[in-house]
Amino acid sequence: MADFRTHLGVAVAGGSLLGLGAWQATPLSATDAASLAILTAFGGILPDVDADNSHAIRLIFTLLAVLSVVVGALLLQGWLGPGRLIVACGGLYVGVRYVLSAVFRRFSVHRGIWHSLLASLLCGLATTVASYQWLLQEAWMAWAQGLALVLGTLLHLLLDELYSVDLEGTRIKRSFGTALKLFDYRQPGNSLVMLMAAASLAPWLPPWGALRELLRQGASLWR
């Protein structure tokens, strides 16, 4: 499989091209274009969240911890005083960075459910909901940010599959087919739970018409 640096490098390159292209071809602001690039890069390492003691899992949970602090501060600032708010945000950081990551490593298996198109869908929808509901982005921008994350995860899965083909030895490695799959065939119960989690996000998603218009506009740029 591809290593961390390869995944991150390809994802950063892909995100940069996406952000730059969107900035040049649309009225998108530089800040919004940068968010697409960052989300693509993050998606490029996200499937390795189930790899114990890897660079990816440490970086992912550090970023998630920082994000949880930002969101927590925004939601709690009207309810708590400065001192309690600092304590609460510190607790959020420790809880996500160390406690949640330890629990996740305990119950996850590398190349399992997080290396699947279903996981990519769930993460993309969750990003869209967070952008639309919490960050109050416009519907089309929320969908664009969700799609950017999905693009990054797909780059990761495709790289893993490409590295499963030994061109010099003209052979297929045993890892072939374990990354780019619809769901985790070995644990259908977990896949069902993930599918239900993705479906449960439907009431909080932006209007689907905004997604269709976004895809239509994106396709027109290639003509």
Side-chain angles (χ1 to χ4, degrees):
M1 70 183 74
D3 59 16
F4 173 77
R5 290 184 178 180
T6 302
H7 279 307
L8 183 59
V10 171
V12 168
S16 299
L17 289 174
L18 175 64
L20 182 60
W23 184 42
Q24 294 294 325
T26 69
L28 208 64
S29 68
T31 302
D32 287 339
S35 74
L36 299 182
I38 292 171
L39 284 166
T40 303
F42 182 68
I45 61 173
L46 186 57
D48 276 346
V49 69
D50 58 9
D52 293 347
N53 301 317
S54 70
H55 294 291
I57 192 170
R58 290 194 294 271
L59 178 57
I60 289 169
F61 274 97
T62 297
L63 293 174
L64 289 176
V66 171
L67 180 61
S68 70
V69 169
V70 173
V71 174
L74 291 174
L75 295 177
L76 298 175
Q77 61 181 347
W79 300 85
L80 300 176
R84 291 184 178 181
L85 184 61
I86 291 174
V87 172
C89 289
L92 282 173
Y93 183 88
V94 172
V96 173
R97 174 61 182 85
Y98 298 102
V99 179
L100 184 60
S101 64
V103 172
F104 194 90
R105 286 196 300 268
R106 172 65 179 82
F107 292 101
S108 62
V109 178
H110 189 45
R111 285 292 185 102
I113 196 169
W114 290 100
H115 274 73
S116 69
L117 297 179
L118 177 58
S120 178
L121 173 66
L122 173 62
C123 293
L125 292 178
T127 300
T128 300
V129 169
S131 176
Y132 187 63
Q133 299 290 345
W134 294 349
L135 302 180
L136 304 179
Q137 296 285 342
E138 295 184 34
W140 68 271
M141 188 61 200
W143 281 117
Q145 290 176 334
L147 289 175
L149 187 83
V150 170
L151 173 62
T153 62
L154 293 180
L155 287 174
H156 182 110
L157 301 182
L158 286 170
L159 266 179
D160 276 348
E161 292 297 356
L162 288 174
Y163 271 71
S164 297
V165 179
D166 183 358
L167 296 178
E168 294 182 357
T170 62
R171 67 185 181 89
I172 303 296
K173 299 178 182 178
R174 292 180 60 186
S175 59
F176 183 77
T178 60
L180 189 58
K181 54 184 180 290
L182 289 176
F183 55 90
D184 189 356
Y185 310 122
R186 296 171 300 179
Q187 297 183 331
N190 289 346
S191 298
L192 180 60
V193 171
M194 181 171 283
L195 179 61
M196 293 172 63
S200 70
L201 295 175
W204 293 280
L205 288 170
W208 291 94
L211 175 60
R212 290 192 293 268
E213 180 62 19
L214 178 65
L215 295 175
R216 186 192 66 79
Q217 292 181 359
S220 67
L221 295 177
W222 295 93
R223 296 175 183 173

